[in-house]
Amino acid sequence: MSGYVGILVSDPWLQNQFTQVELRSLKSHILSLFGFSMAIDWCLKFTTMRRESGRLTVGDLASRMSNLKVVGENLTEEERASFIQNFHHKLDDDVDFEFFLRVYLNLNAHASARTGSAAKNSSAFLKAATTTLLHTISESEKASYVAHINNYLAGDDFLKKYLPIDASTNDLFEITKDGVLLCKLINVAVPGTIDERAINTKRVLNPWERNENHTLCLNSAKAIGCTVVNIGTQDFIEGRRHLVLGLISQIIKIQLLADLNLKKTPQLVELVDDSKDVEELMSLPPEKILLRWMNFQLKKSGYRKIVTNFSSDVKDAEAYAHLLNVLAPEHSKPSALAAKDPLERAKLVLAHAERMGCKRYLTAKDIVEGSPNLNLAFVAHIFQHRNGLSTQTKQISFLDTSPDDTQISREERAFRFWMNSLGNSTYINNVFEDLRNGWVLLETLDKVSPGIVNWKIANKPPIKMPFRKVENCNQVVKIGKQLKFSLVNIAGNDIVQGNKKLILAYLWQLMRYNILQLLKNLRFHSHGKEITDADILEWANTKVSNSGSQSRMDSFRDKSLSDGIFFLELLSAVQHRAVNWSLVTKGVTDEEKKMNASYIISIARKLGCSIFLLPEDVTEVNQKMILTLTASIMFWFLKQPVEDRPSGISDSEASSHLETISNSTMDDSSSESSMDENGHL
């Protein structure tokens, strides 16, 4: 594609037809969304219209578009004129290429929505696109996910016109094309993740608005723990079914397993005998806790086998029959245990589950075929509906969390999701446990600074000998010192032992180093100038000041930031259309501050910022997360083509500006936001 871009924007004929601004717009927007051949087609349409009279005005468009497919065939000239006048009131204004394209796309969407042709064409495109792929999808999984969506989103005002979805069609992939359903599904899985004020929910969305929704969806999915390394906005546009289903599967799994932790379900302490076992239970991933719960209940029934997976160990449906008899004996007739055929037993199990009020996530065939995703969903739903644990929670002293524990938990969550977003080979469920062998930390270091790890001396899991883990963690500490992290009194064995504060200190410095390197490596930093915290602070203040606002932040710990107004002004400064100020509160009460913070995070993700903070991090002014938020906005802005920046600042100007800042401020070790000896700000 990049080769086509070069050909397109350097073609002499095109250069005669378009201004340089129009060519840059074509390069930055059209090609990225629609491809080379379609871009050329629209170029020809536009130049033909403009060539007829030498000038093309807004008032001319309605009649000139009569020959265009869909728009000309399905809308009268009066309808086109009325639509265009509502779009832009000044009919004598000249039309440039980008304005023409926006009008064309909106009219096209309007006409297609009226005739239904968009859905037909899209369906044909889906079939054509997916038949050439090697990837296949499970129709059973699709049907299960559709049933879940129909159940949990049935009451949504925007989606009610699309629901229920028919699982036998490709309607699911059609509806996900505008991104709204996926955003809503994320909020069902983890309520409050996306501020719905940031979702584009017009009846007909143009490609830019759909792209914004997809960007918001993907960045929010990462922020709740989904792995989206190989999924992009184009995959939704092109209807790549295996990728769409893969993301939906992860979102639903997160929702179904949400209660499998001691904070949400303290009754889980019944599964263990002492505090040491409780600590182990707290470190387990949700799937492992679900298995432990299942075996705990099966033991009551006298079932002697140990279930170790949600596939081969449940294929005969015997474990399910025993489990449901323990949890809901009143619904056990006819008894599934009496059936000799596994398929018949599976049918009786599902009938039993339905009598006790559990929704079906799978069929009897799915059980005997050992579908791991659907069996996991089935057991998780049973747990949510009736877990059979005592309502009298054991009094475990350390279940009562202090403010420090809450802060540690939030930071652990942010670092965990950030590391998972990098696409490491191992999914991290708990940084204090899953990083103890050093391997994932080495992988993360290699992604942040390629080539820095000496893999010849690294020990790959599974690692049985403790000293091998120490060797890995010693290299982690050594590399940290090489990267100039503050690691006073930190040794590899501290990581192996799961020292929480030291691990968090290391991860914070690693995350901070990553964003600073991203900023440094932008094209106008070719001379290798280091970026400091002070640079980021000054950049943000300058952007807000240049937009005409008096707001500023004195540091990343400035308590005045708690109302969110500064960051809303910063987002508006880098993209003037980003913030709908009618939705912004004054930020006086705690509730108003939280609403602003939620809006800030969603708007930043909608632009394209990959951030992992929570609204509380803004309202409480967690300076680590405030720094990452500011740096992420800065990184997004400086990545944009120069012509798309509101201020029009050039690469050389940006580089000179940052160099001036760096020369006039202190270095990282002495700046106001410097870290203490354990790496904390």
Side-chain angles (χ1 to χ4, degrees):
M1 178 63 73
S2 60
Y4 286 138
V5 173
I7 294 170
L8 183 61
V9 298
S10 61
D11 183 271
W13 178 80
L14 286 171
Q15 289 182 347
N16 288 330
Q17 305 299 321
F18 295 92
T19 68
Q20 288 301 309
V21 172
E22 289 170 343
L23 283 173
R24 286 197 298 268
S25 174
L26 180 70
K27 176 181 177 181
S28 62
H29 296 300
I30 316 310
L31 285 171
S32 62
L33 288 171
F34 303 105
F36 181 73
S37 60
M38 196 173 293
I40 287 291
D41 185 44
W42 274 322
C43 286
L44 294 174
K45 287 182 174 75
F46 177 68
T47 53
T48 299
M49 289 182 187
R50 191 160 64 177
R51 191 185 301 120
E52 290 177 3
S53 61
R55 181 175 180 237
L56 183 64
T57 66
V58 174
D60 297 331
L61 280 178
S63 60
R64 300 283 179 86
M65 285 184 163
S66 60
N67 295 324
L68 299 183
K69 191 176 181 181
V70 180
V71 170
E73 295 171 354
N74 298 298
L75 296 174
T76 65
E77 184 172 334
E78 290 74 17
E79 288 173 326
R80 292 194 298 273
S82 175
F83 189 94
I84 293 169
Q85 188 163 6
N86 288 332
F87 192 85
H88 189 88
H89 299 299
K90 297 180 180 179
L91 299 183
D92 197 47
D93 283 358
D94 285 334
V95 173
D96 61 15
F97 180 73
E98 185 168 344
F99 180 85
F100 159 76
L101 185 64
R102 287 182 183 275
V103 170
Y104 179 89
L105 291 174
N106 279 282
L107 277 171
N108 189 67
H110 178 63
S112 297
R114 276 184 33 174
T115 62
S117 60
K120 295 176 183 177
N121 293 339
S122 299
S123 177
F125 170 69
L126 266 177
K127 293 174 183 175
T130 53
T131 52
T132 59
L133 293 172
L134 296 177
H135 302 284
T136 58
I137 65 170
S138 164
E139 290 298 326
S140 291
E141 286 194 25
K142 185 179 83 168
S144 175
Y145 303 151
V146 165
H148 182 96
I149 290 167
N150 287 339
N151 181 38
Y152 282 93
L153 291 174
D156 186 88
D157 290 337
F158 179 82
L159 294 173
K160 62 185 178 184
K161 56 181 174 290
Y162 303 111
L163 301 180
I165 300 170
D166 185 349
S168 66
T169 68
N170 279 330
D171 288 354
L172 173 64
F173 308 109
E174 290 299 319
I175 295 171
T176 56
K177 281 189 173 184
D178 66 9
V180 177
L181 183 144
L182 292 172
C183 288
K184 301 270 189 178
L185 191 61
I186 287 172
N187 270 355
V188 169
V190 184
T193 299
I194 297 175
D195 190 319
E196 296 202 0
R197 293 174 295 174
I199 305 174
N200 297 319
T201 54
K202 291 194 318 187
R203 190 174 66 85
V204 179
L205 300 178
N206 65 42
W208 279 276
E209 292 164 333
R210 287 200 302 267
N211 193 64
E212 285 181 335
N213 280 350
H214 295 149
T215 302
L216 173 60
C217 164
L218 289 174
N219 282 318
S220 300
K222 284 193 289 185
I224 65 169
C226 295
T227 301
V228 297
V229 175
N230 295 315
I231 307 176
T233 58
Q234 193 67 21
D235 295 314
F236 298 113
I237 296 169
E238 295 179 1
R240 297 180 188 269
R241 299 188 299 168
H242 66 291
L243 294 177
V244 173
L245 274 188
L247 180 58
I248 291 174
S249 170
Q250 291 185 74
I251 296 170
I252 291 176
K253 180 180 176 183
I254 287 170
Q255 177 189 343
L256 293 175
L257 298 178
D259 292 340
L260 281 151
N261 61 73
L262 285 170
K263 288 183 179 179
K264 292 283 187 69
T265 313
Q267 296 89 347
L268 284 167
V269 297
E270 192 177 340
L271 305 183
V272 297
D273 296 323
D274 54 44
S275 60
K276 185 177 180 181
D277 290 335
V278 171
E279 289 181 350
E280 179 190 351
L281 185 68
M282 292 175 73
S283 69
L284 290 176
E287 299 95 318
K288 296 291 185 183
I289 296 177
L290 190 62
L291 283 171
R292 182 173 287 199
W293 166 80
M294 188 175 180
N295 285 310
F296 174 81
Q297 300 294 356
L298 289 174
K299 190 175 180 180
K300 296 179 183 177
S301 73
Y303 187 72
R304 296 184 179 181
K305 296 179 183 177
I306 300 296
V307 178
T308 62
N309 58 62
F310 295 104
S311 183
S312 58
D313 286 359
V314 295
K315 288 173 71 172
D316 59 9
E318 285 187 12
Y320 284 151
H322 281 88
L323 177 65
L324 296 183
N325 280 346
V326 169
L327 297 176
E330 71 275 17
H331 296 301
S332 61
K333 296 179 181 181
S335 175
L337 292 171
K340 295 182 179 180
D341 176 56
L343 185 63
E344 181 61 28
R345 188 182 304 119
K347 290 178 180 178
L348 292 172
V349 161
L350 291 177
H352 188 164
E354 195 160 351
R355 284 194 296 274
M356 61 184 277
C358 290
K359 297 288 183 182
R360 291 195 180 193
Y361 275 87
L362 74 178
T363 64
K365 184 180 178 184
D366 295 323
I367 292 177
V368 298
E369 289 181 352
S371 172
N373 286 342
L374 296 183
N375 277 299
L376 171 64
F378 180 55
V379 178
H381 190 67
I382 292 172
F383 176 86
Q384 283 188 341
H385 189 74
R386 186 179 297 190
N387 61 40
L389 298 173
S390 172
T391 55
Q392 298 298 319
T393 306
K394 293 181 184 178
Q395 295 300 314
I396 305 294
S397 59
F398 57 80
L399 283 181
D400 299 325
T401 57
S402 67
D404 285 345
D405 293 331
T406 301
Q407 183 65 30
I408 286 174
S409 176
R410 288 218 306 261
E411 290 188 8
E412 186 275 337
R413 175 191 179 278
F415 298 144
R416 170 163 38 98
F417 290 158
W418 168 66
M419 294 179 76
N420 283 332
S421 75
L422 299 176
N424 291 315
S425 63
T426 303
Y427 187 86
I428 304 168
N429 291 286
N430 184 308
V431 298
F432 305 126
E433 293 298 321
D434 297 345
L435 302 187
R436 289 170 66 172
N437 64 18
W439 182 262
V440 180
L441 275 171
L442 289 173
E443 282 191 317
T444 305
L445 283 162
D446 195 56
K447 289 182 181 295
V448 169
S449 184
I452 202 167
V453 176
N454 184 352
W455 292 109
K456 292 181 180 179
I457 62 172
N459 303 289
K460 188 174 183 178
I463 305 172
K464 296 182 179 179
M465 305 299 289
F467 74 91
R468 297 295 185 193
K469 298 178 183 179
V470 175
E471 287 178 350
N472 280 353
C473 293
N474 280 340
Q475 186 179 180
V476 167
V477 173
K478 181 181 178 181
I479 293 172
K481 292 178 178 177
Q482 185 180 333
L483 297 176
K484 300 180 181 179
F485 293 176
S486 176
L487 299 174
V488 179
N489 299 324
I490 296 181
N493 195 51
D494 292 314
I495 299 174
V496 176
Q497 296 300 320
N499 186 309
K500 291 184 179 181
K501 288 189 176 181
L502 296 183
I503 289 174
L504 290 179
Y506 190 98
L507 290 177
W508 159 238
Q509 294 181 83
L510 182 56
M511 187 181 191
R512 175 177 171 274
Y513 175 83
N514 180 48
I515 187 65
L516 294 180
Q517 283 299 109
L518 290 173
L519 286 167
K520 174 185 173 182
N521 293 335
L522 288 174
R523 60 186 180 274
F524 54 80
H525 295 307
S526 56
H527 54 288
K529 188 190 71 64
E530 297 293 334
I531 302 298
T532 69
D533 298 357
D535 293 339
I536 299 169
L537 181 70
E538 182 63 22
W539 172 86
N541 281 325
T542 300
K543 289 304 300 177
V544 171
S545 175
N546 289 346
S547 70
S549 171
Q550 300 299 314
S551 298
R552 66 176 285 108
M553 60 173 167
D554 294 328
S555 71
F556 297 115
R557 62 166 69 93
D558 187 340
K559 293 302 181 183
S560 69
L561 299 174
S562 65
D563 63 10
I565 300 300
F566 177 86
F567 287 107
L568 288 165
E569 290 181 336
L570 177 60
L571 289 165
S572 184
V574 300
Q575 173 54 269
H576 61 86
R577 297 187 304 272
V579 178
N580 182 345
W581 287 99
S582 67
L583 303 176
V584 175
T585 75
K586 293 181 179 179
V588 176
T589 66
D590 289 344
E591 182 60 29
E592 288 180 345
K593 290 179 179 180
K594 188 172 182 180
M595 288 178 66
N596 283 351
S598 174
Y599 192 47
I600 289 165
I601 292 169
S602 291
I603 289 297
R605 287 177 180 153
K606 183 178 177 180
L607 286 181
C609 299
S610 183
I611 49 178
F612 301 91
L613 71 166
L614 295 170
E616 292 81 359
D617 292 315
V618 177
T619 59
E620 296 172 13
V621 194
N622 178 337
Q623 64 186 109
K624 295 178 185 177
M625 296 300 112
I626 292 292
L627 171 58
T628 61
L629 171 62
T630 312
S632 296
I633 297 171
M634 179 180 179
F635 179 65
W636 175 84
F637 173 76
L638 295 179
K639 276 197 310 179
Q640 304 310 301
V642 177
E643 62 275 3
D644 289 343
R645 299 180 194 162
S647 63
I649 187 172
S650 68
D651 287 351
S652 59
E653 288 172 329
S655 179
S656 174
H657 176 63
L658 287 176
E659 190 168 5
T660 300
I661 296 168
S662 278
N663 290 337
S664 63
T665 55
M666 298 174 287
D667 61 24
D668 285 346
S669 61
S670 60
S671 68
E672 184 176 4
S673 56
S674 63
M675 293 168 288
D676 63 24
E677 64 179 11
N678 289 327
H680 288 288
L681 281 172

